[in-house]
Amino acid sequence: MELNAGLSNPVAPETTPPLRRELRSWGRDLVIALSLAVVIIIFFYQPVKVEGTSMTPLISDQERIFINKFVYRFEPIERGDVVVFWYPLDRTKSFIKRVVGLPEDMVEIRQGRVFVNGKRLTEAYVPPEFLDSGNLSPVEVPKGEYFVMGDHRTSSNDSRIFGPVPRTFIYGKAVFAYWPVDHFGSIPVFDEEIK
């Protein structure tokens, strides 16, 4: 009786032990995950620690947040966005503020109330105790620049002092808070209304 030649070939024994194969698979997956994390952090999101109280109560001193560094390649900067930018008077420092004036807007402040193009800006994100009673004569925001202010008006170094911020200095939008845990979550977006 002859055996079928196709069935007579013995199966070659495994040459790689299962544990080594498993470790190699885990190592490969870990390298891929770390590479993706590095790409995401370098090109899309960046963790930052906020120093100062100018954005209180939305963002507190020493709070840790993620900024999206890629969003403004696809969408315009809008009034109400919380942006991170190089400080115009010292580009080694970064600031975080809210956009209140867009390019070619006329911004004026009367007794702490912000007016854009002659109409009052509704700012639900600024608690009454954080308002100041300052005034600012009408300022036209130049093309390609943005007027920014902190939500805690009495402790904010912003466009009232250093002027509008060039678009080229703005490199991210605050999107997510991750520390402390009680602030964990998306940074809320407020619809800006002009009355």
Side-chain angles (χ1 to χ4, degrees):
M1 180 177 200
E2 273 185 51
L3 293 172
N4 187 332
L7 298 175
S8 64
N9 289 339
V11 176
E14 279 190 29
T15 55
T16 308
L19 179 61
R20 182 178 286 165
R21 202 174 51 235
E22 188 71 23
L23 288 174
R24 195 176 302 153
S25 175
W26 276 91
R28 180 198 67 223
D29 292 347
L30 183 62
V31 167
I32 290 170
L34 288 174
S35 299
L36 283 172
V38 167
V39 167
I40 287 169
I41 288 171
I42 290 174
F43 296 106
F44 300 104
Y45 290 92
Q46 177 182 342
V48 296
K49 180 172 82 171
V50 176
E51 295 179 1
T53 59
S54 72
M55 287 305 294
T56 304
L58 180 67
I59 302 170
S60 305
D61 184 33
Q62 303 304 307
E63 190 167 331
R64 284 158 175 81
I65 64 171
F66 279 110
I67 61 170
N68 185 330
K69 299 193 304 185
F70 205 63
V71 67
Y72 292 132
R73 294 177 189 260
F74 298 107
E75 62 184 56
I77 296 171
E78 308 241 347
R79 186 177 292 108
D81 286 357
V82 177
V83 297
V84 179
F85 56 94
W86 302 113
Y87 179 43
L89 304 179
D90 181 357
R91 291 203 53 197
T92 64
K93 297 178 183 174
S94 291
F95 274 27
I96 182 167
K97 306 290 178 199
R98 187 181 301 277
V99 174
V100 296
L102 302 175
E104 300 182 10
D105 276 349
M106 187 68 72
V107 177
E108 179 181 3
I109 301 173
R110 298 181 216 147
Q111 296 187 345
R113 306 290 185 203
V114 178
F115 291 81
V116 177
N117 301 322
K119 296 181 180 173
R120 185 166 163 229
L121 189 64
T122 303
E123 299 180 289
Y125 44 80
V126 180
E129 64 271 21
F130 293 161
L131 284 171
D132 67 6
S133 58
N135 294 304
L136 179 72
S137 298
V139 174
E140 183 174 359
V141 183
K143 241 182 188 174
E145 297 189 11
Y146 295 83
F147 197 93
V148 298
M149 295 177 74
D151 291 354
H152 193 312
R153 299 292 160 78
T154 57
S155 73
S156 180
N157 177 11
D158 51 38
S159 289
R160 295 173 292 176
I161 297 164
F162 54 74
V165 177
R167 169 63 185 92
T168 54
F169 285 25
I170 298 172
Y171 65 88
K173 177 180 182 180
V175 292
F176 194 86
Y178 65 93
W179 190 261
V181 177
D182 61 330
H183 285 201
F184 186 86
S186 297
I187 293 174
V189 176
F190 291 90
D191 288 333
E192 290 285 343
E193 290 182 28
I194 300 178
K195 293 182 178 181

